[in-house]
């Protein structure tokens, strides 16, 4: 035996000597009738539920009658296993405690820094402790509804305009309007039902014209064909009248293709395809905005009122869409990653690395942090979700949020700090088809009543009807089907805690004699085909039924339809049964609302949303989900006490209207009305100020592009210049009518069309871009069908300036495109880099190119966009005064940009961690390269500099929202507005100039700056060039233990091509020919 394990040896010896069962156990716990010492030691002393270890322990007991040598070997082996498990658990606990301590210290420091920055202009009331009654409170729709419903409802005399367009996003799972396959897997649960019913209910509100529920299109043979349909109508019209119903009004499911078309992927595998979904969703929204504008917008565009993301993946998508369109974002978390991570770490079974590998938990948490950065409003189901779950995130601090809210209400400057607004709006329910039993003691079908309106305020008797088939399917399990039914409806997920419920039922004989138990655990065909966790729960359920001999007392049907669920509730109420939700943590508990609507009292977990539901309905009991005795006592109390059952039932039916969908939607619309309404507002239709100065070179390019379109699209030739000019004018007027203006009308002082065509024939494709005798006006991007974006981050490792390989690459790409006569329509060219405007122009001049060769320059990591304006003479100038900044882009990215607050905070954070042992400054401000939307720093020592995720964490804890990126071989640091990035600039071009992202070709290296990952995936074509980037900044992107690139961009994609430097021009030209 091992030295130091004598206490284990003694415990094992006592077990072997005493036997497995111990009857005198009051020193361990009360109320346990059959105590197993071995199992107690394994599960309680070590804290592990190790089935294999327990079996080994039992074998060691059985070997007591065998030889002493075998017995000793078994005990020694078992001791070492216990020691290893205990050591592993202590190590995990120590790491977790250390991590939480660091987070707590960082958060406290963040509060102090934020207070210090804002202390200069604090009012006297703020310097002191703010009284509780003046502090902003988290508002609950239940309180508002019960106190004064009239404040939320719209006055009847003021009929609102039916103009709102709302976009909901729910990415994972199987989403359809009818016959939802709830419980099929862990991704198709209550969230799916919630978002579908929310879309339907919102479309029926008088203010709302259109609701789109965006989800993933799935064309897999493993699922029904309906999930591959591009669109599905959910509802049309409104509660009030049908006169305002338009051609495109109503609620629709819109399925966006992303990822493998023929595969149904679980949510953990969808992260690499988020960018692709964003681009597809953006194309849909832009197209529909034009359609809705023609129907209800008098020709103008109708932008989404809000974009509402559900869950972490859809929150990430909504934040990118919101940034591209500059419209408000709303977030509902449903289930939160940090909360799940904390629970899994507390169990001590898995390390953080193992948890991340299984659940992609770090990618999920970062998506939730990004969603908090962009969200105007966060909708929660309960107050507990705000304080105990969202409070775990870097981007939300309850105390700091209260301070910022108080300052905002008093008009005091917050120095760029912001916290999203949290509101409690419980999910709604459609009561139109709910049938409940009369409140008499005798429950018969003839006593049933139906709720005839959606807000549950009216009920009328209904005639008896035939027994639903699902009743027979359940009743066949029971020996005595007349006993009250205890109903649990949840998928077989470990966190739903169904096994504990079954143990509580099996251990309490009195409960078994008084009631039956029904477990509706989704749909299944074969347990072996279920996911690992669900299959394990199902197997345990069957074993427990056999262990306690519950045959004839427990029902567990294999299949049910969504339409059967109300009938299941009705059956439980008919038998005077009880509904139970024993989940370890329940974010809300929609099934509790459904059960209450059907007249069922509830027993529910005290962790999470059921607390608020019980407070509003007072229709049952709350229990500790870990305590089997408490669960059994609560169930027995409700089943045995008829008066208590009737009281809980009446309370639930009386207050259930608080959870109706109309009530939910009225509160929802009143909350989003308080968001800062914003949408794209272009100040100018073109990229230049002088609309009358059209140069000869610009006109030549117009003619060339248009003639190419005619030859490609219409296959027609024009020999008469007058006909061509007439067509150009007709196209211009058509463009103005549609709001697109693809071509400018020809000015009278310009040369004739015939002269231009002759000049074009002489000059050729490359020289026609410039004119040797006049000024040149750059082609606006909206005249381009396709764009080639050169975003290679190639810098010399010594000087950190653009490398010669990069210059040669750009030169080769430009000359190849301009000289190839096989390209039918010349694409636009864009340079995208971390360089400033002057540095970009200098790089192009060094490559023998002019910036006039490019349609746009994305500079300073996406904080600035420039368009070439004019060039004098026929020589290439190095002056960049003819580059005009996009003022619309500046206003577009200005959202939540706190320049001075960030500048002060970055100065305060300019000290290395104590662990580095250095007192040197990490960076120095590069004032020469700063601009109004970019704080630039020179990194003095990149080895001790924090990574991007560490720096963003510190800024978030101080209420600052921004993008941080290292560039130029990690020698520079840029701090940008939240909406600014090189990838988002491309989506801005889509929204601003109508150049579809799918028609862009992005050229990148194998690595790059820390924003490089955002350029890899999407609907655009990505050309990755090998060996063109010698050194990169990606080592400063994420700290060890975070997620990897494979969780951001797919490893392989049909939109990605990897090529050698000498082949990139051929690959690009081949792609442009189609």
């Amino acid at each position: 035996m091992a030295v130091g394990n004598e206490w284990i040896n003694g415990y094992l010896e006592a077990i072997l000597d005493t036997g497995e069962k111990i009857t005198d156990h009051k020193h361990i716990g009360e109320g346990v009738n059959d105590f197993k010492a071995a199992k107690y030691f394994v599960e309680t002393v070590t804290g592990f539920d190790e089935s294999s270890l327990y079996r080994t322990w039992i074998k060691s007991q059985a070997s007591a009658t065998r030889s002493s040598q075998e017995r000793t070997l078994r005990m020694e082996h078992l001791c070492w296993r216990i020691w290893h498990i205990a050591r592993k658990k202590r190590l995990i606990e120590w790491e977790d405690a250390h991590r939480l301590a660091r987070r707590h210290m960082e958060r406290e420091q963040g509060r102090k820094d934020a207070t210090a920055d804002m202390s200069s202009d604090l009012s006297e009331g703020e310097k002191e402790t703010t009284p509780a009654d003046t502090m902003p409170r988290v508002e609950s729709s239940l309180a508002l509804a019960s106190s004064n419903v009239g404040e939320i409802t719209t006055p009847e005399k003021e009929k609102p305009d039916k103009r709102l367009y709302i976009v909901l996003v729910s990415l994972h799972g199987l989403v359809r309007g009818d016959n939802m396959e709830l419980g099929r897997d862990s991704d198709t649960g209550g969230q799916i039902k919630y978002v579908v019913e929310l879309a339907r209910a919102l479309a029926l509100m008088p203010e709302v014209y259109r609701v789109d529920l965006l989800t993933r299109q799935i064309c897999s043979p493993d699922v029904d064909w309906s999930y591959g349909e591009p669109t599905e109508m959910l509802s049309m019209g409104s509660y009030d009248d049908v006169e305002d119903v338009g051609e495109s009004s109503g609620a629709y499911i819109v399925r966006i293709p992303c990822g493998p078309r023929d595969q149904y992927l679980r949510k953990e595998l969808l992260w690499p395809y988020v960018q692709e979904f964003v681009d597809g969703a953006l194309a849909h929204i832009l197209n529909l905005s034009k359609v809705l504008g023609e129907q209800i917008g008098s020709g103008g565009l109708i932008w989404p009122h809000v974009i509402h993301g559900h869950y972490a993946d859809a929150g990430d998508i909504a934040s990118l869409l919101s940034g591209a369109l500059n419209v408000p974002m709303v977030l509902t978390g449903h289930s939160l990653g940090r909360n799940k991570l904390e629970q899994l770490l507390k169990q001590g079974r898995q390390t953080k690395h193992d948890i991340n590998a299984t659940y992609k938990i770090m990618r999920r948490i970062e998506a939730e942090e990004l969603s908090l950065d962009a969200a105007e409003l966060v909708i929660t189901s309960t107050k507990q979700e705000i304080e105990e779950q969202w409070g775990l995130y870097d981007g939300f601090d309850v105390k700091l949020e209260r301070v910022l809210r108080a300052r905002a209400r008093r008009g005091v400057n917050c120095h760029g700090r912001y916290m999203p607004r949290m509101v409690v709006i419980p999910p709604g329910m459609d009561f139109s088809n709910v049938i409940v039993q009369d409140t008499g003691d005798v429950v018969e079908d003839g006593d049933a009543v139906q709720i005839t309106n959606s807000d549950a305020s009216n009920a009328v008797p209904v005639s008896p009807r035939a027994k639903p088939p699902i009743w027979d399917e359940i009743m066949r399990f029971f020996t005595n089907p007349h006993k009250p039914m205890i109903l649990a409806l949840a998928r077989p997920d470990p966190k739903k805690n169904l096994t504990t419920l079954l143990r509580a039922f099996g251990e309490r004989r009195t409960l078994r004699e008084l009631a039956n138990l029904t477990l509706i655990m989704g749909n299944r065909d074969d347990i072996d085909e279920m996911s690992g966790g669900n299959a394990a729960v199902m197997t345990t359920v069957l074993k427990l039924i056999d262990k306690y001999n519950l045959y004839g007392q427990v029902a567990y049907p294999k299949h049910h339809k969504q339409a059967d669920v109300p009938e299941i509730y009705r059956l439980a109420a008919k038998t005077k049964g009880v509904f139970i939700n024993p989940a370890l943590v329940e974010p809300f508990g929609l099934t509790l609302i459904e059960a209450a609507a059907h007249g069922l009292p509830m027993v529910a977990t005290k962790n999470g949303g059921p607390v608020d539901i019980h407070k509003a309905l007072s229709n049952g009991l709350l229990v500790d989900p870990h305590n089997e005795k408490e669960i059994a006592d609560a169930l027995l109390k409700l089943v045995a006490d008829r008066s208590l059952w009737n009281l809980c039932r009446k309370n639930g039916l009386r207050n259930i209207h608080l959870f109706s969908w109309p009530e939910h939607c009225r509160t929802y619309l009143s909350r989003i009305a308080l968001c800062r309404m914003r949408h794209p507002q272009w100040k100018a239709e073109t990229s230049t100020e002088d609309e009358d100065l059209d140069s000869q070179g610009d006109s030549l390019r117009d003619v060339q592009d248009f003639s190419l379109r005619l030859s490609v699209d219409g296959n027609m030739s024009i020999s008469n210049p007058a006909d061509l000019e007439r067509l150009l004018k007709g196209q211009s007027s058509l463009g103005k009518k549609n709001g697109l203006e693809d071509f400018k009308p020809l000015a009278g002082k310009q040369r004739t069309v015939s002269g231009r065509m002759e000049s074009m024939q002489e000059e050729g494709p490359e020289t026609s871009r410039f004119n040797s005798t006049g000024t040149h006006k750059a082609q606006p991007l909206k005249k381009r069908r396709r764009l080639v974006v050169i975003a290679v981050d190639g810098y010399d490792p010594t000087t950190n300036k653009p490398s010669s390989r990069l210059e040669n690459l750009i030169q080769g790409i430009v000359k190849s495109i301009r000289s190839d006569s096989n390209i039918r329509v010349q694409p636009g060219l864009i340079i995208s880099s971390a360089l400033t405007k002057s540095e970009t122009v200098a790089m192009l001049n060094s490559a023998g190119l002019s910036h006039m060769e490019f349609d746009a320059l994305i500079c300073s990591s996406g904080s600035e966009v420039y368009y070439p304006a004019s060039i004098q003479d026929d020589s290439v100038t190095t002056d960049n005064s003819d580059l005009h900044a996009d003022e619309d882009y500046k206003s577009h990215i200005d959202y939540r940009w706190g320049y001075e607050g960030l500048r002060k905070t970055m100065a305060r954070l300019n000290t290395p961690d104590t662990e580095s042992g250095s007192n040197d400054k990490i960076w120095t401000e590069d004032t020469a390269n700063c601009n109004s939307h970019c704080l630039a720093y020179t990194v003095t020592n990149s080895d001790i500099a924090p990574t991007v995720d560490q720096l963003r964490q510190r800024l978030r804890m101080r209420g600052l929202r921004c993008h941080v990126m290292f560039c130029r071989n990690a020698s520079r640091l840029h701090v940008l507005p939240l909406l600014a990035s090189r990838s988002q600039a491309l989506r801005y071009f889509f929204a601003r100039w109508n150049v579809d992202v799918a028609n862009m070709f992005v050229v990148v290296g194998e690595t790059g700056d820390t924003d490089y990952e955002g350029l890899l995936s999407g609907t655009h074509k990505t050309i990755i060039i090998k060996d063109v980037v010698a050194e990169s900044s990606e080592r400063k992107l994420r700290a060890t233990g975070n997620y990897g690139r494979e969780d951001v961009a797919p490893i392989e994609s049909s939109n990605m091509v990897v090529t050698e430097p000498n082949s990139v021009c051929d690959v690009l030209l081949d792609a442009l020919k189609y």
Side-chain angles (χ1 to χ4, degrees):
M1 307 298 283
V3 178
N5 287 330
E6 290 80 5
W7 63 279
I8 296 181
N9 299 340
Y11 200 95
L12 292 176
E13 291 287 353
I15 291 174
L16 295 177
D17 292 339
T18 307
E20 182 181 335
K21 295 184 178 181
I22 300 177
T23 55
D24 186 13
H25 48 268
K26 293 184 179 180
H27 62 286
I28 297 176
E30 297 290 337
V32 183
N33 298 322
D34 188 15
F35 175 73
K36 296 182 177 64
K39 191 172 182 181
Y40 170 79
F41 184 80
V42 173
E43 293 187 354
T44 306
V45 177
T46 67
F48 283 82
D49 184 11
E50 286 278 332
S51 300
S52 61
L53 184 59
Y54 176 58
R55 286 194 294 269
T56 305
W57 203 307
I58 298 303
K59 289 180 181 179
S60 69
Q61 292 179 276
S63 66
T65 58
R66 302 177 186 177
S67 65
S68 59
Q69 183 179 3
E70 181 181 358
R71 179 170 176 266
T72 302
L73 289 175
R74 284 182 177 275
M75 290 183 60
E76 184 175 359
H77 173 70
L78 194 57
C79 286
W80 277 113
R81 289 187 64 185
I82 294 174
W83 176 83
H84 176 73
I85 291 174
R87 181 176 180 272
K88 181 180 178 181
K89 182 183 179 183
R90 290 192 184 97
L91 179 62
I92 293 175
E93 290 175 346
W94 182 87
E95 292 176 349
D96 187 41
H98 185 64
R99 178 181 57 85
L100 292 176
R102 286 179 61 88
R103 276 186 58 83
H104 178 73
M105 292 176 61
E106 185 64 40
R107 171 155 285 183
E108 290 297 325
Q109 186 61 44
R111 289 174 186 160
K112 292 179 181 179
D113 291 348
T115 303
D117 285 347
M118 297 186 294
S119 61
S120 58
D121 51 0
L122 280 175
S123 62
E124 290 300 323
E126 287 177 299
K127 292 180 180 178
E128 301 173 359
T129 303
T130 308
D133 57 347
T134 63
M135 292 298 286
R137 297 179 300 166
V138 177
E139 298 179 356
S140 170
S141 65
L142 292 178
L144 290 171
S146 59
S147 61
N148 191 353
V149 178
E151 294 181 2
I152 300 176
T153 57
T154 304
E156 295 182 359
K157 62 181 180 180
E158 297 181 5
K159 183 179 179 180
D161 292 335
K162 194 176 183 66
R163 292 174 56 90
L164 297 187
Y165 171 35
I166 296 175
V167 176
L168 310 177
V169 186
S170 182
L171 179 64
H172 63 261
L174 299 172
V175 183
R176 65 182 179 188
D178 298 319
N179 196 21
M180 289 178 277
E181 300 182 71
L182 303 181
R184 169 174 173 146
D185 53 44
S186 59
D187 293 348
T188 309
Q191 176 185 331
I192 304 301
K193 183 178 180 181
Y194 172 82
V195 295
V196 170
E197 293 189 353
L198 174 62
R200 281 198 179 107
L202 283 174
L204 294 175
M205 300 303 290
E207 303 95 332
V208 180
Y209 185 79
R210 168 88 177 206
V211 179
D212 280 341
L213 171 55
L214 307 185
T215 190
R216 180 176 178 246
Q217 186 182 37
I218 307 167
C219 302
S220 171
D222 298 330
V223 300
D224 191 74
W225 62 270
S226 59
Y227 300 113
E229 290 294 297
T231 59
E232 177 185 345
M233 174 179 280
L234 293 175
S235 66
M236 61 181 299
S238 65
Y239 287 120
D240 299 331
D241 55 67
V242 193
E243 296 179 1
D244 294 335
V245 175
E247 181 180 353
S248 300
S249 65
Y252 294 81
I253 296 176
V254 180
R255 298 183 176 92
I256 308 295
C258 73
R261 302 294 188 267
D262 59 346
Q263 295 182 29
Y264 172 53
L265 302 177
R266 57 186 176 91
K267 59 178 176 289
E268 288 83 7
L269 302 179
L270 289 175
W271 291 112
Y273 309 107
V274 163
Q275 302 269 356
E276 184 180 354
F277 188 95
V278 170
D279 293 341
L282 182 59
H284 166 76
I285 293 173
L286 290 174
N287 290 333
L288 188 62
S289 295
K290 298 174 186 177
V291 173
L292 297 182
E294 295 174 358
Q295 294 180 9
I296 60 174
S298 303
L301 298 177
I302 298 295
W303 299 105
H305 194 63
V306 292
I307 298 177
H308 187 165
H310 294 267
Y311 195 76
D313 47 14
D316 196 359
I317 291 168
S319 65
L320 293 173
L321 286 173
S322 170
L325 295 172
N326 200 16
V327 298
M329 174 196 163
V330 179
L331 173 66
T332 299
H334 291 278
S335 174
L336 301 184
R338 279 203 188 276
N339 186 55
K340 183 171 185 176
L341 176 62
E342 297 298 331
Q343 290 182 356
L344 292 174
L345 288 174
K346 286 180 181 178
Q347 291 177 4
R349 302 174 189 270
Q350 294 176 291
T351 63
K352 186 177 179 181
H353 178 269
D354 295 335
I355 295 171
N356 190 37
T358 304
Y359 300 103
K360 305 294 183 183
I361 200 75
M362 300 310 296
R363 177 68 178 90
R364 175 179 170 182
I365 290 173
E366 179 58 22
E368 290 163 341
E369 293 283 10
L370 291 171
S371 301
L372 283 176
D373 288 342
E376 291 268 358
L377 187 72
V378 177
I379 295 177
T380 69
S381 300
T382 64
K383 293 181 180 179
Q384 181 267 352
E385 184 180 345
I386 298 175
E387 298 169 358
E388 299 182 17
Q389 296 186 42
W390 281 118
L392 298 174
Y393 285 78
D394 304 329
F396 184 76
D397 186 329
V398 176
K399 295 181 180 179
L400 185 56
E401 189 271 341
R402 290 174 177 173
V403 173
L404 294 176
R405 182 72 60 81
R407 293 174 66 92
R409 290 175 61 182
R410 297 171 182 174
V412 182
N413 186 13
C414 293
H415 298 276
R417 288 171 170 82
Y418 182 85
M419 289 284 171
R421 186 182 183 189
M422 300 262 177
V423 296
V424 177
I425 309 179
M429 181 180 171
D430 182 11
F431 298 102
S432 58
N433 296 317
V434 172
I435 296 178
V436 297
Q437 309 296 333
D438 195 10
T439 56
D441 291 337
V442 180
V443 181
E444 299 291 345
D445 283 342
D447 298 327
V449 296
Q450 180 177 13
I451 299 176
T452 57
N453 57 347
S454 55
D455 59 2
S457 60
N458 189 31
V460 297
V462 296
S463 59
R465 57 180 181 174
K467 185 184 299 183
I470 190 65
W471 286 17
D472 292 331
E473 176 65 19
I474 294 174
M475 290 299 188
R476 69 181 179 86
F477 285 89
F478 298 136
T479 304
N480 182 4
H482 299 289
K483 291 194 296 185
M485 178 193 297
I486 298 170
L487 173 63
L489 195 153
R491 63 182 184 271
D493 190 294
K495 64 185 179 183
K496 297 301 181 181
N497 203 29
L498 294 177
T499 54
T500 301
L501 168 63
L502 201 52
R503 289 191 185 96
F505 184 77
E507 293 283 354
R508 186 61 61 89
R509 179 180 177 182
T510 310
L511 185 60
R512 297 199 309 268
E513 293 174 348
L514 288 178
N516 293 321
L517 176 63
T518 298
L519 303 175
I520 306 297
M521 299 175 287
N523 292 280
R524 65 186 183 278
D525 292 319
D526 188 346
I527 294 179
D528 292 336
E529 296 178 357
M530 300 175 69
S531 62
N534 292 356
V537 172
M538 280 300 308
T539 303
T540 305
V541 166
L542 297 178
K543 288 182 177 180
L544 289 173
I545 291 174
D546 186 73
K547 174 183 178 180
Y548 293 109
N549 193 22
L550 299 178
Y551 300 106
Q553 297 174 295
V554 178
Y556 44 97
K558 293 183 65 173
H559 297 95
H560 72 279
K561 298 178 181 179
Q562 181 61 27
D564 293 333
V565 173
E567 303 297 346
I568 297 172
Y569 287 125
R570 194 162 71 92
L571 175 61
K574 179 180 175 64
T575 62
K576 292 202 176 288
V578 177
F579 182 81
I580 180 169
N581 182 336
L584 298 176
V585 176
E586 181 58 62
F588 178 68
L590 187 59
T591 53
L592 296 173
I593 304 301
E594 295 173 345
H598 288 83
L600 273 173
M602 74 170 189
V603 173
T605 175
K606 66 179 182 180
N607 299 330
V611 176
D612 287 354
I613 294 175
H614 180 264
K615 183 177 180 181
L617 299 181
S618 187
N619 69 326
L621 302 172
L622 300 178
V623 295
D624 180 359
H626 300 280
N627 192 322
E628 296 174 8
K629 180 180 181 299
E630 191 173 336
I631 293 174
D633 288 344
L635 291 171
L636 186 60
K637 188 174 183 180
L638 281 171
V639 169
D641 191 339
R642 182 63 62 87
S643 61
L644 177 62
W645 188 93
N646 284 325
L647 177 62
C648 292
R649 180 182 182 280
K650 290 178 181 179
N651 288 343
L653 291 174
R654 182 174 61 248
N655 300 319
I656 196 62
H657 68 90
L658 297 176
F659 297 94
S660 67
W661 274 121
E663 192 70 42
H664 176 97
C665 291
R666 282 191 289 267
T667 307
Y668 179 93
L669 293 175
S670 67
R671 295 296 176 266
I672 65 174
L674 299 177
C675 295
R676 193 177 91 179
M677 289 298 109
R678 50 193 176 92
H679 56 81
Q681 292 180 335
W682 316 130
K683 298 178 181 178
E685 281 300 312
T686 62
S687 58
T688 55
E689 297 177 0
D690 190 353
E691 197 69 32
D692 296 329
L693 295 179
D694 284 337
S695 68
Q696 178 181 2
D698 189 36
S699 302
L700 289 173
R701 189 171 55 188
D702 289 350
V703 175
Q704 182 190 27
D705 286 350
F706 187 67
S707 62
L708 285 170
R709 289 192 190 185
L710 292 176
S711 63
V712 172
D713 301 336
N715 209 14
M716 48 189 297
S717 60
I718 298 178
S719 57
N720 188 350
D723 293 338
L724 179 58
E725 185 166 1
R726 184 171 59 256
L727 285 173
L728 284 171
K729 290 183 178 180
Q731 180 71 17
S732 176
S733 61
L734 180 62
K736 286 186 176 181
K737 181 179 179 180
N738 294 333
L740 300 176
E741 290 193 88
D742 286 335
F743 298 96
K744 291 187 172 70
L746 301 178
K749 59 184 178 181
Q750 294 175 340
R751 293 169 53 185
T752 63
V753 177
S754 59
R756 296 189 201 112
M757 295 185 69
E758 293 173 0
S759 174
M760 184 176 65
Q761 292 172 357
E762 295 174 358
E763 294 177 346
E766 183 177 3
T767 57
S768 65
R769 185 175 176 88
F770 297 96
N771 183 281
S772 60
T773 60
T775 60
H776 166 72
K777 178 182 176 182
Q779 179 78 6
L781 282 178
K782 65 180 177 180
K783 295 185 180 181
R784 292 300 187 186
R785 290 186 178 184
R786 295 185 290 183
L787 295 176
V788 175
V789 183
I790 304 175
V792 179
D793 302 319
Y795 303 99
D796 186 276
T798 305
T799 63
N800 295 319
K801 294 182 178 180
S803 65
S804 58
R805 281 186 290 183
L806 174 60
E807 295 175 355
N808 294 334
L809 175 68
I810 297 174
Q811 183 185 56
I813 291 175
V814 173
K815 289 187 176 181
S816 297
I817 292 175
R818 296 309 182 201
S819 61
D820 195 325
S821 58
N822 293 324
I823 300 178
R824 295 178 296 182
V825 179
Q826 284 287 309
L829 284 173
I830 293 178
I831 285 287
S832 177
S833 73
L835 302 175
T836 63
K837 176 181 68 172
S838 58
E839 289 173 332
T840 303
V841 171
M843 176 190 67
L844 294 176
N845 292 337
S846 177
L849 298 171
S850 169
H851 55 275
M852 303 304 297
E853 281 289 333
F854 295 85
D855 293 73
L857 306 180
I858 301 174
C859 302
S860 299
S861 300
S863 64
E864 293 180 312
V865 170
Y866 292 94
Y867 305 107
S870 63
I871 186 169
Q872 302 293 336
D873 301 325
D874 56 349
S875 60
V876 178
T877 179
T878 60
D879 186 15
N880 56 34
S881 60
D882 46 14
L883 287 171
H884 286 217
D886 189 334
E887 297 298 329
D888 288 330
Y889 183 73
K890 288 184 178 180
S891 61
H892 180 88
I893 64 175
D894 197 56
Y895 176 66
R896 291 188 181 174
W897 175 236
Y899 186 93
E900 286 301 326
L902 278 165
R903 190 166 177 267
K904 292 179 181 178
T905 303
M906 289 297 292
R908 184 176 285 109
L909 295 177
N910 194 10
T911 54
D913 293 334
T914 55
E915 297 176 357
S916 64
S918 174
N919 295 323
D920 298 334
K921 297 295 183 181
I922 305 174
W923 52 69
T924 58
E925 187 174 357
D926 185 4
T927 55
N929 289 327
C930 290
N931 60 59
S932 60
H933 291 91
C934 176
L935 284 167
Y937 298 89
T938 300
V939 180
T940 57
N941 189 345
S942 62
D943 293 333
I944 62 175
T947 57
V948 169
D949 58 345
Q950 292 171 339
L951 192 51
R952 290 190 72 168
Q953 178 192 46
R954 297 172 187 177
L955 292 172
R956 282 169 175 155
M957 287 182 172
R958 290 156 176 80
L960 295 166
R961 317 288 174 168
C962 61
H963 276 162
V964 180
M965 56 194 65
F966 287 90
C967 55
R968 301 173 72 166
N969 303 333
S971 65
R972 302 288 192 278
L973 174 65
H974 287 172
V975 182
L976 312 176
L978 185 64
L979 303 189
S981 71
R982 290 192 291 172
S983 59
Q984 284 293 81
L986 301 183
R987 296 189 177 101
Y988 168 82
F989 290 154
F990 188 6
R992 178 68 176 89
W993 301 113
N994 202 31
V995 183
D996 196 334
V997 176
N999 294 330
M1000 298 182 186
F1001 301 83
V1002 180
V1003 182
V1004 296
E1006 289 184 290
T1007 184
D1009 297 341
T1010 55
D1011 63 342
Y1012 164 82
E1013 289 178 346
L1015 297 167
L1016 290 178
S1017 60
T1019 58
H1020 58 74
K1021 284 71 178 175
T1022 305
I1023 301 175
I1024 303 174
I1025 309 174
K1026 295 181 178 180
D1027 303 326
V1028 72
V1029 178
E1031 188 177 340
S1032 74
S1033 306
E1034 282 199 290
R1035 67 183 185 277
K1036 303 304 298 182
L1037 180 56
R1038 287 182 284 267
T1040 305
N1042 214 321
Y1043 59 94
R1045 184 191 293 181
E1046 65 277 4
D1047 297 327
V1048 180
I1051 299 176
E1052 294 182 357
S1053 171
S1054 59
N1055 288 335
M1056 288 185 184
V1057 176
V1058 181
T1059 183
E1060 300 291 339
N1062 56 359
S1063 303
V1064 61
C1065 294
D1066 294 335
V1067 172
L1068 188 56
L1069 291 177
D1070 289 340
L1072 290 172
K1073 290 176 183 177
Y1074 300 99

